[in-house]
Amino acid sequence: MSKNGLLNLGRGSAKWICFSSVMLFINGVAYIVVIRLIAAFIGLLSTEAVEYFSLLPKFLFLLTAVMFVKAVASKLESSFSYRITAKVKYNIRERIFNKIKRLGPAWVDSSGTAELIANALDGVEALEILFGRFMPQLIYSLIIPSVLFFVTFGIYPAFALVMLSAVPIIPLSMMLISKWAKRSMKGFWNDYQGLSSLFLENLQGIVTLKLFNKSEKRMKEMESKAWGFRNSTMELLRMQLASISVMDTLVYGFAGAGIFLAVYGFHVGIVSLQEFFILLMLSVEFFLPIRKLGSLFHAGVNGIQAGRKVAAFLNTQEPLRVPMSAKLPEGSDIVFENVSFYYDTALPAVLTDTSCRFPSGGIYGIAGASGCGKSTLGRLLLGFFDPVSGSISFGGVPVTDIPLEQLRRRITLVEARSRIFNGTIEDNLKLAVPDADDNRMLSACRAAGLCGTGKARGLVADSGDLRKETGESGSKLSGGERQRLAIARAVLLNPDVFVFDEAAGSVDSESEEIIRDTIYNLPASKTVFIISHRRSMLHGADRLLTIDDGKIVECGRSLTAAGEYK
Amino acid sequence: MNIRNERSPEPLAGRLKLFIRLTKMIRPHKKLLIASVLFSITGHLSTIGLTGFAAVAAAVIITDGKFSLPAVIAAVICVITRGALRYGEHYFGHDIAFRLLFDIRKKIFEAVNRLAPAKLLDRKTGDICSTVMADVECVETFFAHTLAPVIVGIIVPIIMLSVFAAIKPEFALIMLPFYLLMGLFVPVVSFQSSAADGNEYRNSLSKMNSMLVENLQGLKELMLFNREEERLDGILRETGLCNHSYRKIRSNEGLLAAVVEIIMLAAAAAVIGFGGGFVVSGTADIGDLITVAVLSITSFGPLISLIFLSNSLVNTAAAAGRIFALIDEKPVVDDMDELQGGCITDFRIEEPPTAESVNFVYPGTGRKILEDLSLTIKKNRITALKAESGRGKSTVLYLMMRFFDPTNGRMILNKSDLKKFNLDCLRGGISYFTQETTLFNISVMDNIRLADESATDEEVFKSAEKAGIHHYICSLPSGYNTTAGEQGSRFSSGERQRIGLARIFLQNNHVILLDEPVSNLDSENEKLIMQNLKNGLEGRTVVLVSHRPSVIDIADDIIEF
């Protein structure tokens, strides 16, 4: 991943970065002008017997004018910097999302979303600071010392030379220190995070701790750990602060040297009083932008790291999927023909040259221990992955030839811990069919056992209940209700094929029964795959299959009425 | 994420109270605060002094024509000490922040400890915890980066005013309004304007963030229903909206920066303008003018850092409010302690817990759960409670553990009111096993030993064997030293549950309450655990709540209500 890729992320904001640094520059130059004005005023007062009252209005007028320029520049700078931020945020998010769309659910499945969320939230935030604050300041810090150099060179060349020679030393020492500090800080942050997570863990486990009367003891342990951590932190801090102090002393040392030169120059008469004032005020100004850059340095480094991650994500290889004929399937028979599949050449194959027919309208139970590859069947059917060789056809058309949108309308998947989105129950159902009316939604809920039975009132008893809020991630529903709502959503979609992959895998036993009933009461015309390691879920399936040595095989043993294997 | 910002900003008086209470927390660390503030003040003074003393040196040259050694030496001292002073300021500042973080966490932990488990049953524990974590960090910022700067921002201008007054009293009078403007007026105005806009922005940001997280986490579902495009468009729209409200903040910031520039330059203009007049009229010399010109420009530093604090203050107030609310919250059951008369600490359970015409209404919700319930549990037998879901089977167990007290009626143990028992002792006498076992990120050995610290390794192995997990643990590369991972992530739910069971066996209590013990398990694990339970609990008094017929099967008695 090159620097180019990083800069590429800021595409579109380059103009505003330039404008922003121009404003910083104008502000800096205006400061020099202010200093010169004040110096001139003092100089005139000291040398000539000028008319004070005629001089004062001129002085105040000019000062006000510059003041106005400075204020406007400050204001504009922040609005330009806002534009950078807005652009960066919007652009990068948009690109991340478009990338996700192209990568597809298989990628989401295998990589998880944690990294993605980190990229889209913190990564974008860090980049925003990098482009919005760090870059303009960087450009400004590169330009302004030379301006200051020219201004002071005309007054006192020795001063200007000393100052300029000091300028590169500061950022160099800054980089060295930050490199050194980063190494030791890493350990510190890990410890710090460890302590926070210990606190969090104890809070979350407080009921257990209380039941065993161990909360006091854990608190004491936490205390002593925190104290040990405090001591090592302060140790580290001492070293780190020492290095920062060295840098500070360096900055002030150089400024002090400049000031000393100015006093000396004034004493021996090389510089006039007004020139002395200019040198005095500008000697500090030489290092200010660089110090400010230093305070942003950490943010800058973070931004670069985040940018690398985001750019690396954007460069992830995308699966190629070009529907060949875009034929529509006729019927919904599913046929595996000599299918081989593995996730990675380094991993053992899940399927090797296996063939199997699934005529439509059957309930197929897929059994097997976890890790045997049962879930792969569903993923292949839904086109998350394509077979490495062989073909899977749906209604006579190879799955790879069916446009994904079509495919997902005809085949749907419900997994354990389905996502419910913040909004109403209706919003969640309408994900499947945006224009569904209340009656359709209610009947889907009924089918999924959400409406309650007998006297018990379910989650969705009438159409008013469709407007109930689900809360963030469905937090206002119980785990079983979430799962049943997800099934109602699938029922509403009314596909030809349902794949239930451990759909009752993480719910209480009551919901498990309801879900089981729902699945087995789906219309007989539907093809249903039930992937589960729980025998009770599979009991009643028309055919019981498993994956053995890369082949889809009929379970040798059929189920007895009691749900036990013979 | 929303929870954090739903509360509207408090009235100013209420906020002030919160800050006073927060500030009081610093009392034990007063000395450190004073040290940090002193270092900070001298640090600022040495920054101002560097140019200030140079100006004095020039003034001496003008009046006496001599190179003023004292002034130059003073400037050199400023150069040398600057780094050291900054060191002290940060060192003590961090130390305070650290100690306070520690104090607050301790207070919160104690509060939660007092309130648990009742308060944590209905709310989502994770939510409370993450809110608390964020709040603690926020309050820490107040101590680390707000309190000392405020004190410094008051003291440094006072010192500078006396310096101006020493040169010529009129200069102090000229500077005073500018200091007040910068240190008082601007922060208050900015606080007020940023409170509203900041709130709006934070709400919009948190809304957007949770939307982003939710949709990214639910990406697969969205793709399954071909809805990803429209959802992601929604997020971009929200990003746009969020940017829009951010714009107001940045625009305020820009305005503020401009105002700061204007005030600083106006102060310089006033001092130099009037100073020029004093020079012309002969009441001040040109050296004084140079000095005050320099000081007027350089002395605003500590005040400027105050202005941008106000943004975080709004957050701090809200965070402190939530923390104090938690600390002040009253527990739902009162514990008897040994000082009160009639407290029972040392006892053997002779008679299992019983309910005597108990009514129970969940505090807060008003939901009536139990009505005139009386039940007796037989000693040394396994009793299953059977009722329709929602009728309060688990609640009966809560009442037996005294997570709550009955609204009316009494819970009885050993023929005495349950309220008379010391809570720690009660929980040491009755075990409670739920459908989820919480493991801590420590070794499996220590996790099991939580139930009985004095247990020997052999005793732990034995309980693990009874729970049917011993052989599995031994098969792990690090055996009993395997750490459980965050929230026990190293183990599957079945394994976690069996480790939890090992705890119960190790605790070796006579009365054991089982609340849906195998609800999260598949049938293999379920069968295993039920077998182990039945064998391991022979001769104990067990009360069992479950939905599964296969679990209820192990009961000797069934009570329906």
Side-chain angles (χ1 to χ4, degrees):
Chain A
M1 156 65 222
S2 64
K3 272 252 154 53
N4 271 338
L6 184 64
L7 289 177
N8 202 9
L9 292 175
R11 210 167 47 187
S13 59
K15 183 172 75 176
W16 299 109
I17 293 178
C18 285
F19 284 169
S20 185
S21 41
V22 166
M23 285 306 131
L24 283 173
F25 182 74
I26 290 177
N27 205 335
V29 170
Y31 182 75
I32 300 173
V33 174
V34 167
I35 295 301
R36 296 207 73 135
L37 260 177
I38 295 175
F41 181 70
I42 295 174
L44 284 173
L45 282 178
S46 66
T47 51
E48 296 159 40
V50 284
E51 188 53 54
Y52 166 70
F53 289 102
S54 70
L55 188 64
L56 187 66
K58 264 188 230 158
F59 168 67
L60 289 180
F61 172 76
L62 285 173
L63 204 59
T64 310
V66 184
M67 196 159 79
F68 181 71
V69 170
K70 252 179 96 72
V72 168
S74 286
K75 180 85 183 62
L76 283 177
E77 194 272 318
S78 85
S79 90
F80 290 150
S81 143
Y82 157 75
R83 275 176 196 278
I84 302 169
T85 300
K87 264 244 149 54
V88 166
K89 242 187 189 163
Y90 197 91
N91 283 354
I92 296 182
R93 286 225 170 108
E94 189 172 25
R95 288 170 66 184
I96 289 180
F97 293 149
N98 285 329
K99 183 74 186 182
I100 297 170
K101 256 188 270 179
R102 291 194 300 270
L103 285 172
W107 183 86
V108 176
D109 237 3
S110 61
S111 313
T113 48
E115 178 89 20
L116 203 57
I117 290 168
N119 272 338
L121 276 176
D122 304 338
V124 169
E125 212 74 31
L127 279 169
E128 168 196 332
I129 297 173
L130 174 70
F131 288 113
R133 307 223 182 200
F134 185 76
M135 295 287 249
Q137 186 67 30
L138 180 69
I139 296 173
Y140 171 66
S141 318
L142 290 176
I143 299 172
I144 199 73
S146 52
V147 175
L148 286 166
F149 175 76
F150 284 117
V151 170
T152 52
F153 192 81
I155 299 170
Y156 191 4
F159 174 92
L161 285 171
V162 167
M163 287 294 154
L164 193 68
S165 66
V167 165
I169 295 176
I170 311 284
L172 270 179
S173 67
M174 225 176 254
M175 268 190 264
L176 279 177
I177 286 172
S178 87
K179 217 174 203 169
W180 176 84
K182 212 165 77 188
R183 224 177 307 139
S184 43
M185 278 308 273
K186 212 170 182 178
F188 162 78
W189 275 110
N190 287 343
D191 281 0
Y192 178 76
Q193 299 287 352
L195 209 61
S196 290
S197 59
L198 183 66
F199 178 59
L200 185 63
E201 182 182 39
N202 283 344
L203 277 186
Q204 284 171 337
I206 190 108
V207 176
T208 303
L209 291 175
K210 243 187 130 128
L211 285 172
F212 293 114
N213 286 331
K214 289 291 177 298
S215 48
E216 315 267 313
K217 184 173 166 262
R218 284 283 282 188
M219 181 70 208
K220 289 253 156 59
E221 271 172 31
M222 199 160 71
E223 272 178 34
S224 76
K225 257 190 197 154
W227 208 244
F229 170 67
R230 182 240 163 224
N231 292 337
S232 57
T233 310
M234 294 315 275
E235 193 69 32
L236 180 75
L237 194 71
R238 263 195 288 269
M239 289 199 288
Q240 211 198 346
L241 282 177
S243 65
I244 291 173
S245 301
V246 169
M247 199 186 74
D248 243 20
T249 311
L250 218 58
V251 167
Y252 280 90
F254 281 116
I259 289 169
F260 185 80
L261 267 179
V263 174
Y264 170 78
F266 180 57
H267 178 61
V268 297
I270 304 173
V271 294
S272 66
L273 180 62
Q274 83 178 77
E275 287 167 339
F276 163 76
F277 184 79
I278 294 170
L279 294 182
L280 180 63
M281 297 312 287
L282 294 189
S283 62
V284 179
E285 199 62 19
F286 251 101
F287 305 106
L288 268 187
I290 294 173
R291 283 195 75 205
K292 198 162 174 205
L293 193 66
S295 66
L296 287 171
F297 189 78
H298 188 66
V301 172
N302 274 352
I304 290 171
Q305 278 166 352
R308 292 222 169 107
K309 274 190 205 146
V310 172
F313 167 70
L314 291 177
N315 286 335
T316 314
Q317 196 167 356
E318 293 166 19
L320 274 176
R321 192 189 168 97
V322 188
M324 303 303 245
S325 55
K327 271 187 291 183
L328 291 183
E330 286 167 30
S332 51
D333 288 358
I334 293 164
V335 181
F336 279 57
E337 241 174 304
N338 307 99
V339 172
S340 295
F341 180 77
Y342 47 79
Y343 285 99
D344 192 327
T345 43
L347 295 174
V350 181
L351 296 174
T352 40
D353 196 25
T354 190
S355 301
C356 194
R357 266 185 71 83
F358 301 98
S360 66
I363 298 183
Y364 302 97
I366 317 279
S370 61
C372 78
K374 350 187 247 309
S375 295
T376 309
L377 289 183
R379 293 179 193 163
L380 287 170
L381 271 179
L382 278 143
F384 287 8
F385 298 95
D386 293 335
V388 176
S389 67
S391 85
I392 301 171
S393 65
F394 174 61
V397 183
V399 166
T400 41
D401 285 2
I402 305 171
L404 278 177
E405 224 186 287
Q406 279 300 321
L407 187 67
R408 289 182 188 149
R409 208 155 277 166
R410 311 269 313 252
I411 306 179
T412 201
L413 169 74
V414 180
E415 293 179 306
R417 294 175 201 278
S418 295
R419 269 326 274 192
I420 297 301
F421 296 88
N422 197 1
T424 59
I425 288 174
E426 179 183 2
D427 294 338
N428 273 286
L429 289 170
K430 282 190 170 170
L431 275 182
V433 182
D435 53 2
D437 59 21
D438 282 9
N439 283 335
R440 266 188 82 184
M441 287 193 276
L442 278 175
S443 73
C445 287
R446 215 168 294 128
L450 275 172
C451 298
T453 48
K455 273 179 281 173
R457 182 191 158 90
L459 179 70
V460 187
D462 52 47
S463 49
D465 287 342
L466 290 171
R467 276 83 202 173
K468 271 190 197 163
E469 290 286 330
T470 52
E472 242 173 273
S473 309
S475 60
K476 291 183 183 163
L477 310 181
S478 75
E481 284 171 337
R482 281 202 287 275
Q483 203 60 13
R484 279 181 277 157
L485 181 55
I487 291 175
R489 193 162 63 185
V491 169
L492 184 65
L493 182 70
N494 195 26
D496 301 323
V497 180
F498 289 89
V499 182
F500 295 102
D501 190 350
E502 301 286 4
S506 60
V507 299
D508 58 284
S509 44
E510 195 178 353
S511 285
E512 183 186 324
E513 269 165 48
I514 298 174
I515 289 172
R516 191 184 174 282
D517 288 348
T518 307
I519 294 176
Y520 281 94
N521 286 329
L522 284 169
S525 60
K526 304 293 180 192
T527 308
V528 179
F529 289 87
I530 306 172
I531 301 171
S532 176
H533 66 268
R534 218 175 259 182
R535 289 166 198 179
S536 58
M537 278 306 286
L538 301 175
H539 176 59
D542 298 335
R543 278 171 78 193
L544 196 58
L545 305 162
T546 190
I547 296 174
D548 187 26
D549 199 20
K551 309 278 187 207
I552 302 173
V553 295
E554 206 89 19
C555 268
R557 305 159 295 177
S558 63
L559 291 172
T560 65
E564 299 290 330
Y565 289 116
K566 266 181 200 163
Chain B
M1 235 175 270
N2 272 335
I3 325 163
R4 292 182 46 68
N5 295 302
E6 269 165 19
R7 189 189 279 222
S8 59
E10 312 214 358
L12 206 60
R15 251 192 227 147
L16 207 61
K17 244 185 216 157
L18 286 174
F19 284 119
I20 290 172
R21 193 166 164 192
L22 266 183
T23 312
K24 275 187 185 153
M25 291 182 80
I26 213 166
R27 220 179 260 161
H29 315 299
K30 233 175 359 201
K31 281 182 193 156
L32 290 174
L33 180 71
I34 292 172
S36 167
V37 166
L38 280 181
F39 274 109
S40 175
I41 290 172
T42 31
H44 277 294
L45 290 180
S46 91
T47 309
I48 300 168
L50 176 58
T51 42
F53 284 119
V56 170
V60 173
I61 293 170
I62 294 168
T63 45
D64 305 348
K66 275 198 299 198
F67 193 80
S68 162
L69 206 56
V72 172
I73 288 174
V76 170
I77 290 174
C78 286
V79 168
I80 296 169
T81 55
R82 180 70 189 101
L85 291 170
R86 179 156 155 177
Y87 178 102
E89 175 191 346
H90 286 269
Y91 182 85
F92 289 112
H94 277 90
D95 202 8
I96 295 175
F98 198 94
R99 285 165 196 260
L100 279 162
L101 183 66
F102 180 78
D103 290 354
I104 300 173
R105 279 189 178 166
K106 190 173 168 180
K107 280 213 167 81
I108 286 175
F109 190 78
E110 281 165 359
V112 173
N113 191 25
R114 219 164 0 92
L115 299 173
K119 284 286 167 184
L120 299 179
L121 284 174
D122 48 346
R123 277 188 259 172
K124 273 169 66 195
T125 325
D127 280 358
I128 300 179
C129 294
S130 53
T131 311
V132 161
M133 293 297 283
D135 285 345
V136 169
E137 308 248 314
C138 186
V139 169
E140 191 220 342
T141 317
F142 169 76
F143 290 117
H145 306 293
T146 311
L147 194 56
V150 168
I151 301 175
V152 173
I154 294 169
I155 296 180
V156 171
I158 292 176
I159 295 175
M160 289 316 295
L161 282 176
S162 43
V163 171
F164 280 115
I167 296 169
K168 191 172 170 56
E170 284 85 340
F171 285 126
L173 281 179
I174 297 166
M175 283 306 287
L176 180 65
F178 291 104
Y179 281 150
L180 287 177
L181 213 56
M182 190 78 108
L184 216 59
F185 180 72
V186 175
V188 167
V189 170
S190 120
F191 182 72
Q192 250 147 28
S193 68
S194 74
D197 291 336
N199 233 37
E200 187 193 319
Y201 170 62
R202 270 188 304 280
N203 281 338
S204 140
L205 187 70
S206 87
K207 189 172 153 209
M208 204 214 50
N209 283 352
S210 50
M211 189 171 163
L212 194 69
V213 170
E214 175 166 55
N215 283 303
L216 286 179
Q217 283 177 343
L219 252 180
K220 208 161 86 183
E221 259 86 353
L222 294 174
M223 286 173 164
L224 279 177
F225 293 114
N226 297 318
R227 290 281 169 274
E228 73 272 20
E229 199 133 347
E230 107 193 12
R231 280 286 174 141
L232 300 182
D233 281 350
I235 291 179
L236 284 182
R237 225 181 5 255
E238 199 64 38
T239 303
L241 284 179
C242 191
N243 276 344
H244 187 75
S245 62
Y246 184 49
R247 179 179 202 154
K248 276 192 206 157
I249 304 237
R250 286 309 298 271
S251 143
N252 278 348
E253 266 179 42
L255 201 65
L256 214 56
V259 168
V260 166
E261 302 263 5
I262 289 173
I263 293 177
M264 276 174 69
L265 289 182
V271 164
I272 295 160
F274 280 109
F278 298 146
V279 171
V280 171
S281 67
T283 53
D285 60 35
I286 198 83
D288 293 339
L289 185 60
I290 287 270
T291 312
V292 292
V294 168
L295 291 182
S296 69
I297 294 173
T298 55
S299 64
F300 280 99
L303 288 176
I304 291 173
S305 57
L306 287 186
I307 292 169
F308 295 98
L309 288 180
S310 51
N311 255 331
S312 58
L313 281 182
V314 182
N315 280 340
T316 309
R322 278 187 296 264
I323 287 178
F324 288 137
L326 187 67
I327 291 177
D328 295 341
E329 199 164 334
K330 291 256 176 315
V332 291
V333 289
D334 292 317
D335 191 8
M336 300 279 279
D337 59 36
E338 281 148 70
L339 299 171
Q340 289 165 283
C343 167
I344 305 170
T345 51
D346 193 18
F347 60 92
R348 259 183 62 88
I349 296 179
E350 305 292 347
E351 299 282 331
T354 52
E356 238 181 47
S357 48
V358 161
N359 286 334
F360 184 69
V361 177
Y362 259 107
T365 62
R367 204 150 51 98
K368 199 173 212 173
I369 304 286
L370 300 175
E371 217 173 336
D372 196 27
L373 176 80
S374 297
L375 52 82
T376 315
I377 306 293
K378 287 196 191 120
K379 203 177 167 184
N380 300 348
R381 288 170 73 84
I382 299 178
T383 307
L385 302 182
K386 210 173 160 191
E388 269 174 54
S389 107
R391 289 292 303 278
K393 296 184 296 283
S394 296
T395 311
V396 175
L397 300 189
Y398 296 162
L399 293 178
M400 287 178 175
M401 289 304 288
R402 236 191 129 215
F403 291 176
F404 299 94
D405 285 331
T407 318
N408 301 110
R410 299 196 306 165
M411 295 299 293
I412 309 278
L413 180 69
N414 281 359
K415 301 206 167 73
S416 307
D417 194 319
L418 200 61
K419 287 182 187 170
K420 288 202 176 134
F421 291 85
N422 171 274
L423 278 177
D424 284 354
C425 300
L426 183 69
R427 285 171 193 150
I430 304 179
S431 297
Y432 178 63
F433 186 62
T434 57
Q435 54 178 303
E436 278 282 352
T437 293
T438 305
L439 295 186
F440 294 90
N441 196 3
I442 48 180
S443 70
V444 180
M445 180 66 99
D446 288 340
N447 259 306
I448 298 178
R449 221 179 238 154
L450 215 58
D452 179 10
E453 269 173 280
S454 56
T456 61
D457 286 3
E458 271 64 41
E459 283 169 318
V460 172
F461 298 156
K462 216 178 231 168
S463 337
E465 198 151 3
K466 269 196 200 168
I469 188 80
H470 177 67
H471 292 291
Y472 176 73
I473 298 174
C474 290
S475 75
L476 298 172
S478 333
Y480 275 86
N481 290 323
T482 311
T483 47
E486 254 175 65
Q487 303 200 35
S489 55
R490 169 72 185 71
F491 295 101
S492 74
S493 54
E495 288 151 10
R496 280 205 294 274
Q497 203 62 354
R498 277 183 275 166
I499 294 173
L501 202 57
R503 279 181 184 161
I504 299 292
F505 288 136
L506 187 65
Q507 204 180 12
N508 201 21
N509 277 336
H510 186 75
V511 177
I512 291 154
L513 311 182
L514 304 173
D515 192 354
E516 296 280 7
V518 291
S519 194
N520 275 338
L521 304 181
D522 56 67
S523 47
E524 273 98 314
N525 272 308
E526 173 186 325
K527 205 183 289 168
L528 218 147
I529 288 203
M530 290 320 294
Q531 234 153 37
N532 294 323
L533 270 174
K534 184 139 177 90
N535 300 337
L537 298 179
E538 198 78 32
R540 307 289 163 96
T541 305
V542 178
V543 185
L544 171 65
V545 166
S546 177
H547 214 269
R548 291 200 181 164
S550 55
V551 176
I552 298 204
D553 276 352
I554 73 161
D556 304 318
D557 307 310
I558 295 176
I559 298 180
E560 273 190 75
F561 62 94

